[in-house]
Amino acid sequence: MVASTAHSHNVTEVATDPSIDTDTDTGTAADSGPATEFGTLGLRPELLRALSDLGYEEPTPIQMAAIPALLDGADVVGQAATGTGKTAAFSLPVLHRLADLDRNGKPSALVLVPTRELAAQVCEAMYRYGRHLGIRVVPVYGGQPMGRQLRSLETGVDVVVATPGRALDHLSRGSLDLSKLRMVVLDEADEMLDMGFAEDIDAILDQTPTDRQTMLFSATMPPRISGMVRRYLREPRRIELTRAESMSGDAAAVTQVAYVVPRGHKPAALGRVLDIEAPEATVVFCRTREEVDRLTEIMNGRGYRAEALHGGMDQSQRNRVVGRLRAGTADLVVATDVAARGLDIDQLTHVVNYDVPSAPEIYVHRIGRVGRAGREGSAITLAEPREHRMIKTIERVTGQTISVRKLPTVADLRARRLELTRVALREALVEAGDLDRYRVVVEPLAEEFDIVEIALAAVKLAHGADGTDGDAEIPDVELRPRDDGRSRRGPKDRGPRDTRRGKRPSGGMTRLFVSLGRRAGVRPQDLVGAIAGESQLRGKDVGAIEITDKFSLVDVPESAADDVITALRDSSIKGRKVVVRRERFASR
Ligand code: AMP
């Protein structure tokens, strides 16, 4: 059992506000129905509505600690890596406070981030969280035409999300006015320092009011970051991951594996891993209700008997789902953490983290559900390449190793299926009870064919289909070790501003995510039409298109990707607004 950690906190606040309760594992939330604990943090109803639209059920630990402090107006230093939910941890309070301000078109908040990818992601997240508030968020980063940025800055903006280089360019041209700024976020501060942005940040913050609220997030806290904190923050509250109690002996019986998978390939990867593992009863943890519903549908489509379990369901619905897993009439339960509280199923052999959990304790708590009473169990984590830090943090906190493995290949899968067929046949031979009645099939054939041939044909039939899984190849990717990033982008090879940074090889294609799919009636020609109609691209420049029920993936030339994203965001497809963004890592 790992119950010893179930009530521990993974976030501490130095200079703690005693009213903040960071205990997310009380085991009672499941009984309180779908109401989310976000409601207790003091956020505006418009934000709570956006969170509920997104299917977020409860705050992550960093959000629990940071949001109340930031709403109080305090400066905050948060030690948090990607995957912890830190973007929402700062975005929600920023949006909340902005809504109260008298906004006059000059930016009230500035978010500085190291890369243009991150700028786009943060912008997108803020847009989604703030959609019911009508707050204008503008990304400002290199590689985007200056003209468009100038126009959006001129028309009035509330939040600017920028890379330091481009922000400084705009400051020196006079197109960015930070004199009315109320809030500054320094996101991934350690990365920004590694990329040589220290002086740019100094120069930018020099032009902001000194009574601003400042928040700094960083995965690591080297001395240079402490220096930054001293310079830019006032009496900051510190929120950090602490070393939790390590896992107890039983957990060692749990095999812990992570597979690195690009986001778009996760459903296929999950199917493949489960086919190899052939588990008896599995819980797959997702972050949001939407993801639970989507994945349940996909897994059912792949032949699994999968059931959804989330906070939007009432207690009797949940009990029925758990009952089916216990009875073996369901193979998979796809669940959010909230809904899975108190889930206690002895038969459970596998726990899958469809995403890397947002805190080590959540990981520990989830995988504590297998390997009980000395039984063997498996914990499988599907990690995106950028989530390497969280895996490392979990290993450090639990004192256990998570072995990062290559996904099974299609060939592995075929071999495994044959193996399972052999095992099943062997069982049938050993039990041998009622085989006699099949003699009428075999004996007449034996006069005509060799007995081994007959057996092979029978196995082929028993094995089913042709043994392929119909999966496309899943690209082989690795966790991105931090040191690589450092050596590639040391302060010395900064190059001219950030306009060059992050560009993909010329001539290459980039995959875009478009938030409408088959259900919305989208066909390939609609996507091509919208792209050709709204951007500079012609229909023939558009590459591969994949349309799923809920979303679509479209390949476009990298050089035109930003243009297409901006153009489509301002337009509609099939009469509906769309969210368009880069499909992370799909093109690397
Ligand atoms: P971040 O650490 O900010 O990169 O966030 C990681 C992922 O977690 C993003 O995909 C968010 O949409 C998601 N996320 C953030 N907060 C929550 C939450 N409270 N519940 C569910 N998902 C979340």
Side-chain angles (χ1 to χ4, degrees):
M1 268 304 278
V2 290
S4 59
T5 59
H7 293 271
S8 63
H9 300 193
N10 76 323
V11 168
T12 53
E13 276 204 88
V14 180
T16 305
D17 174 344
S19 67
I20 297 171
D21 175 14
T22 56
D23 191 346
T24 57
D25 285 328
T26 56
T28 56
D31 304 324
S32 57
T36 75
E37 289 178 55
F38 274 112
T40 63
L41 298 180
L43 291 166
R44 314 175 69 91
E46 295 91 339
L47 292 171
L48 296 180
R49 190 139 57 90
L51 294 172
S52 157
D53 295 344
L54 289 168
Y56 289 11
E57 296 200 328
E58 60 177 349
T60 66
I62 191 88
Q63 291 163 4
M64 288 278 247
I67 292 172
L70 290 170
L71 288 179
D72 261 3
D75 283 4
V76 161
V77 182
Q79 180 165 7
T82 295
T84 55
K86 72 176 157 61
T87 311
F90 66 73
S91 299
L92 294 168
V94 164
L95 293 165
H96 176 104
R97 302 199 82 210
L98 269 178
D100 280 338
L101 291 176
D102 178 21
R103 288 173 271 143
N104 57 3
K106 291 188 180 163
S108 306
L110 171 70
V111 182
L112 289 178
V113 297
T115 62
R116 56 187 249 180
E117 279 86 0
L118 194 59
Q121 275 167 35
V122 169
C123 213
E124 161 91 29
M126 288 193 119
Y127 168 76
R128 283 186 299 167
Y129 301 141
R131 58 185 305 192
H132 300 303
L133 288 170
I135 284 171
R136 294 160 299 178
V137 186
V138 169
V140 166
Y141 50 79
Q144 238 193 355
M146 204 59 163
R148 186 171 323 128
Q149 291 178 7
L150 288 172
R151 275 196 300 284
S152 26
L153 289 173
E154 266 166 23
T155 49
V157 41
D158 305 311
V159 185
V160 173
V161 183
T163 48
R166 198 36 98 87
L168 203 54
D169 282 349
H170 278 288
L171 276 174
S172 45
R173 284 164 173 254
S175 45
L176 182 62
D177 179 351
L178 299 180
S179 62
K180 293 285 179 277
L181 214 61
R182 306 301 313 137
M183 288 168 273
V184 170
V185 182
L186 302 170
D187 190 19
E188 305 212 343
D190 50 356
E191 284 284 332
M192 288 202 282
L193 290 189
D194 281 356
M195 292 175 70
F197 282 134
E199 287 164 23
D200 289 2
I201 295 172
D202 267 336
I204 294 166
L205 293 187
D206 257 0
Q207 303 200 29
T208 64
T210 48
D211 64 349
R212 58 166 202 267
Q213 181 184 20
T214 311
M215 36 212 111
L216 179 148
F217 290 84
S218 187
T220 57
M221 288 290 162
R224 289 205 308 153
I225 295 287
S226 311
M228 240 176 140
V229 170
R230 275 196 304 278
R231 268 202 312 288
Y232 305 137
L233 278 71
R234 285 177 309 173
E235 297 173 30
R237 300 208 196 151
R238 289 174 195 276
I239 296 169
E240 56 196 334
L241 296 170
T242 55
R243 198 183 164 75
E245 292 170 63
S246 61
M247 295 158 86
S248 63
D250 279 0
V254 177
T255 316
Q256 300 176 52
V257 180
Y259 296 100
V260 188
V261 189
R263 175 124 218 118
H265 293 278
K266 278 193 172 179
L270 177 63
R272 201 175 282 186
V273 170
L274 291 178
D275 283 350
I276 293 276
E277 296 269 333
E280 281 163 33
T282 305
V283 175
V284 182
F285 284 98
C286 293
R287 280 186 175 137
T288 65
R289 282 177 205 179
E290 275 64 34
E291 201 156 66
V292 165
D293 283 336
R294 196 167 58 87
L295 192 59
T296 307
E297 200 174 299
I298 295 175
M299 295 317 283
N300 273 304
R302 286 177 171 261
Y304 286 91
R305 295 170 305 169
E307 300 266 357
L309 187 71
H310 59 57
M313 299 161 61
D314 67 30
Q315 197 56 46
S316 68
Q317 287 172 315
R318 290 189 220 175
N319 290 344
R320 270 201 298 281
V321 168
V322 173
R324 284 199 278 272
L325 191 64
R326 272 210 185 97
T329 52
D331 313 311
L332 289 184
V333 164
V334 186
T336 56
D337 286 292
V338 167
R341 285 212 182 113
L343 188 77
D344 194 359
I345 300 173
D346 281 346
Q347 297 89 327
L348 216 58
T349 53
H350 289 66
V351 164
V352 178
N353 298 303
Y354 194 64
D355 297 288
V356 178
S358 59
E361 272 69 15
I362 297 175
Y363 179 88
V364 170
H365 196 215
R366 286 178 179 179
I367 82 164
R369 295 200 173 82
V370 286
R372 294 192 167 174
R375 248 175 295 155
E376 286 184 7
S378 288
I380 295 165
T381 302
L382 301 186
E384 285 174 54
R386 68 196 179 105
E387 290 174 322
H388 62 280
R389 281 202 173 123
M390 202 58 203
I391 294 274
K392 291 280 164 250
T393 305
I394 291 170
E395 284 189 318
R396 187 168 42 80
V397 168
T398 59
Q400 303 208 358
T401 309
I402 300 176
S403 67
V404 178
R405 291 204 194 142
K406 292 230 177 290
L407 265 186
T409 60
V410 175
D412 293 336
L413 205 60
R414 288 189 184 144
R416 174 68 173 155
R417 286 197 180 132
L418 290 172
E419 158 89 12
L420 290 174
T421 303
R422 192 176 54 75
V423 169
L425 272 176
R426 193 162 200 289
E427 273 172 17
L429 285 164
V430 170
E431 286 167 10
D434 56 352
L435 290 183
D436 262 349
R437 62 199 175 102
Y438 300 110
R439 279 186 190 280
V440 293
V441 177
V442 176
E443 283 178 355
L445 288 171
E447 289 170 15
E448 202 180 335
F449 298 97
D450 176 53
I451 200 81
V452 172
E453 295 283 324
I454 298 170
L456 292 176
V459 169
K460 181 179 172 189
L461 283 180
H463 187 65
D466 60 1
T468 59
D469 64 351
D471 276 342
E473 274 304 328
I474 300 177
D476 210 2
V477 287
E478 289 178 1
L479 285 176
R480 291 189 305 178
R482 181 174 164 69
D483 287 344
D484 278 358
R486 272 201 176 139
S487 53
R488 267 201 320 269
R489 313 176 299 224
K492 293 221 174 62
D493 44 8
R494 250 193 83 194
R497 294 271 178 256
D498 56 311
T499 45
R500 302 250 175 103
R501 234 171 256 132
K503 268 219 166 129
R504 293 167 207 276
S506 62
M509 299 290 271
T510 290
R511 181 156 300 174
L512 300 184
F513 166 94
V514 182
S515 65
L516 291 181
R518 214 172 288 127
R519 291 238 181 101
V522 169
R523 299 157 308 164
Q525 56 267 43
D526 299 322
L527 294 166
V528 175
I531 292 170
E534 302 290 340
S535 72
Q536 327 143 338
L537 286 187
R538 286 159 304 171
K540 69 181 174 59
D541 299 326
V542 179
I545 293 183
E546 189 183 334
I547 299 182
T548 74
D549 277 350
K550 293 195 176 159
F551 62 89
S552 307
L553 300 172
V554 187
D555 288 357
V556 297
E558 161 61 27
S559 54
D562 288 326
D563 178 42
V564 173
I565 291 173
T566 322
L568 288 189
R569 269 187 193 156
D570 295 337
S571 69
S572 55
I573 297 179
K574 294 251 143 194
R576 296 171 60 168
K577 278 275 167 221
V578 284
V579 174
V580 186
R581 58 171 160 73
R582 281 165 199 275
E583 172 68 4
R584 292 173 200 161
F585 307 107
S587 59
R588 290 193 180 177

